[in-house]
Amino acid sequence: MILEQATKPTVVIATGTMNTGGTESLIMEILRQSTGRVRYVLLIHQNGPIVHGVYDSEIRQLGVDMRNIGSIGSLGVRGYIKAFTKAMAEIGHVDIVHSHLNASGGIIALAAKKCGIKYRICHCHADIRYPGGMIQRLKSEISLMVMKAFIEMFATERWACSHAAWNRLFMPWRRRMVVNNMIDTGKYLATLGKRHDAKDRFGLKDKFIVGAVGRVAPIKNYECVLTAIVGTEAHFVCFGRFDANNSYCKSLIDLSDNLGIRNQVHWLGNSNDISIDIHCIDLFVMPSLTEGFGMAAIEAQAASIPSILSTGVPHGVDVGLELVKFANPENSDEWHKAIINFTPSPILPDNEIFQAFRNKGFDSVLAVEHIENQYISLTKDK
């Protein structure tokens, strides 16, 4: 037993507040499906006072240590390295730091190297794009180039959730490591009872529900769907962080008023369990201008929900169950036609869904074992 503890690698997962989202869902599946061969510690980055995340209680129940640290933006590079060094000293021996903070991973890798941590993984979860005018985007691109240089100098491993995400952040000559996002497929399998109960819970019984899952931000392009449901009886529901004081969220409220569909639009905030709540949706939509992967798209397919995805979503999210169609995110007429021509699909057999997800590597039971094999392979000379 003592030998087992001594040889078990410690992996520090650098992330933000553990609320619902694609990155957070991946991390939670790693923790839930862990084979016990790895010790995990979460290093949670926050800007300002400590904010508790949706998953914090479950993380504690899983016996995983959580530490809070200020964000790089709030502390500055020197301040961050000092805080990081203190956190690592408190944790004890660390074998791997695995950053899930996209471009910020380069600074985290620098701090880890200064602490003598041998293996430093930078993980990209987004096909990074910047809003705003030409000058603003140019400044953002220059900043990204600097962060890419830090990753090139200080990361030892580079992982991404898709080829598009990998190409955006890492140098082309580096070894490509694409790690699929994944879910516990069995939790999402549909029944008629689940669908009826979910609609009743949200007061939408007998309504045709067009639904999305994801934080409410400009890159998600939700105005496309609002425009597309005009003239239909469809209700649009969205599970994801919604801040009524945010300028984009305010613009969506104003748009629904101007289009006369206010009563058909429901911003439901973060879901406590999307594997249950997603069953209220008849037609899943993801109109994002771009996505690094699109975790919610595979959740919808596991629940046998027909889906329309933006062409900005990697086509690799289609698991091959004939549930997915792609549409131009800048052409709301395409989405409108898909909505008015929608016909319900039967619930697919469980074994068919399991097989498709395992073939694609999207089922977390097998995928987490593969990730932990990668960790152990890195540290096999420990």
Side-chain angles (χ1 to χ4, degrees):
M1 182 67 179
I2 294 174
L3 179 62
E4 179 185 343
Q5 291 294 330
T7 57
K8 182 186 290 188
T10 294
V11 177
V12 170
I13 293 178
T15 184
T17 305
M18 287 299 291
N19 287 321
T20 53
T23 301
E24 295 84 356
S25 295
L26 171 68
I27 293 169
M28 288 307 301
E29 284 307 307
I30 292 173
L31 302 182
R32 290 166 181 152
Q33 306 298 342
S34 175
T35 62
R37 298 175 295 162
V38 175
R39 176 197 174 208
Y40 293 104
V41 180
L42 262 60
L43 188 64
I44 298 174
H45 294 65
Q46 295 184 338
N47 185 7
I50 294 174
V51 177
H52 297 290
V54 170
Y55 289 125
D56 285 8
S57 295
E58 183 181 356
I59 293 167
R60 292 191 187 94
Q61 290 171 4
L62 291 168
V64 176
D65 187 12
M66 290 188 292
R67 303 294 176 103
N68 291 92
I69 189 171
S71 66
I72 297 167
S74 66
L75 297 176
V77 175
R78 289 183 179 179
Y80 178 78
I81 292 173
K82 182 178 179 180
F84 184 93
T85 302
K86 181 175 182 291
M88 294 305 104
E90 292 172 352
I91 292 168
H93 179 78
V94 174
D95 297 282
I96 300 171
V97 168
H98 186 167
S99 169
H100 291 267
L101 292 172
N102 297 330
S104 297
I107 304 298
I108 295 168
L110 166 62
K113 184 175 183 178
K114 285 183 173 293
C115 291
I117 298 168
K118 187 174 181 181
Y119 304 104
R120 305 175 296 274
I121 303 171
C122 287
H123 199 142
C124 186
H125 290 270
D127 180 9
I128 302 167
R129 302 293 173 204
Y130 296 108
M134 182 182 298
I135 294 176
Q136 183 180 345
R137 292 200 307 273
L138 179 59
K139 289 180 179 179
S140 297
E141 289 292 339
I142 292 171
S143 296
L144 180 63
M145 288 175 63
V146 173
M147 300 304 276
K148 288 171 73 170
F150 273 93
I151 291 171
E152 177 64 17
M153 287 187 289
F154 300 114
T156 60
E157 309 292 325
R158 297 149 187 86
W159 295 9
C161 65
S162 68
H163 290 285
W166 202 98
N167 290 335
R168 191 69 174 108
L169 195 57
F170 305 129
M171 300 303 181
W173 55 82
R174 289 297 183 180
R175 183 176 72 90
R176 186 175 296 247
M177 178 75 175
V178 174
V179 177
N180 289 325
N181 285 356
M182 70 280 194
I183 60 172
D184 184 350
T185 311
K187 289 174 60 177
Y188 289 83
L189 298 174
T191 65
L192 288 176
K194 285 183 180 181
R195 291 184 169 180
H196 292 151
D197 290 347
K199 288 196 175 191
D200 286 348
R201 191 161 57 254
F202 296 111
L204 296 168
K205 184 178 180 180
D206 299 326
K207 301 294 185 184
F208 169 40
I209 307 300
V210 175
V213 178
R215 62 190 172 90
V216 182
I219 199 71
K220 299 297 183 179
N221 190 35
Y222 288 130
E223 55 267 38
C224 172
V225 181
L226 298 187
T227 304
I229 67 170
V230 173
T232 76
E233 295 183 354
H235 283 244
F236 174 62
V237 305
C238 179
F239 296 100
R241 297 192 293 274
F242 184 90
D243 179 0
N245 295 317
N246 174 277
S247 59
Y248 178 66
C249 295
K250 285 181 178 179
S251 74
L252 293 176
I253 294 172
D254 291 342
L255 179 61
S256 64
D257 283 337
N258 293 336
L259 294 174
I261 56 171
R262 181 69 175 269
N263 294 332
Q264 294 171 247
V265 178
H266 313 272
W267 306 106
L268 300 178
N270 285 327
S271 167
N272 290 326
D273 190 342
I274 197 60
S275 68
I276 295 174
D277 292 340
I278 200 170
H279 292 283
C280 76
I281 297 173
D282 297 299
L283 174 63
F284 177 82
V285 291
M286 183 175 280
S288 308
L289 298 175
T290 183
E291 286 280 350
F293 181 79
M295 176 75 103
I298 64 171
E299 293 173 331
Q301 292 171 81
S304 287
I305 302 172
S307 304
I308 309 172
L309 310 180
S310 158
T311 50
V313 177
H315 283 221
V317 302
D318 185 351
V319 302
L321 292 168
E322 298 185 358
L323 290 170
V324 170
K325 294 180 180 179
F326 290 89
N328 184 344
E330 297 179 355
N331 185 347
S332 60
D333 286 343
E334 282 189 38
W335 299 76
H336 178 76
K337 289 175 183 176
I339 290 168
I340 62 176
N341 292 325
F342 171 78
T343 54
S345 299
I347 293 173
L348 298 174
D350 293 354
N351 62 337
E352 187 175 335
I353 293 174
F354 271 121
Q355 190 60 51
F357 272 70
R358 287 169 181 162
N359 288 345
K360 291 282 286 188
F362 292 162
D363 184 71
S364 60
V365 174
L366 295 179
V368 171
E369 183 178 359
H370 173 69
I371 288 171
E372 292 194 342
N373 286 343
Q374 296 295 319
Y375 290 149
I376 291 166
S377 177
L378 283 176
T379 60
K380 63 185 177 183
D381 60 341
K382 179 180 173 183

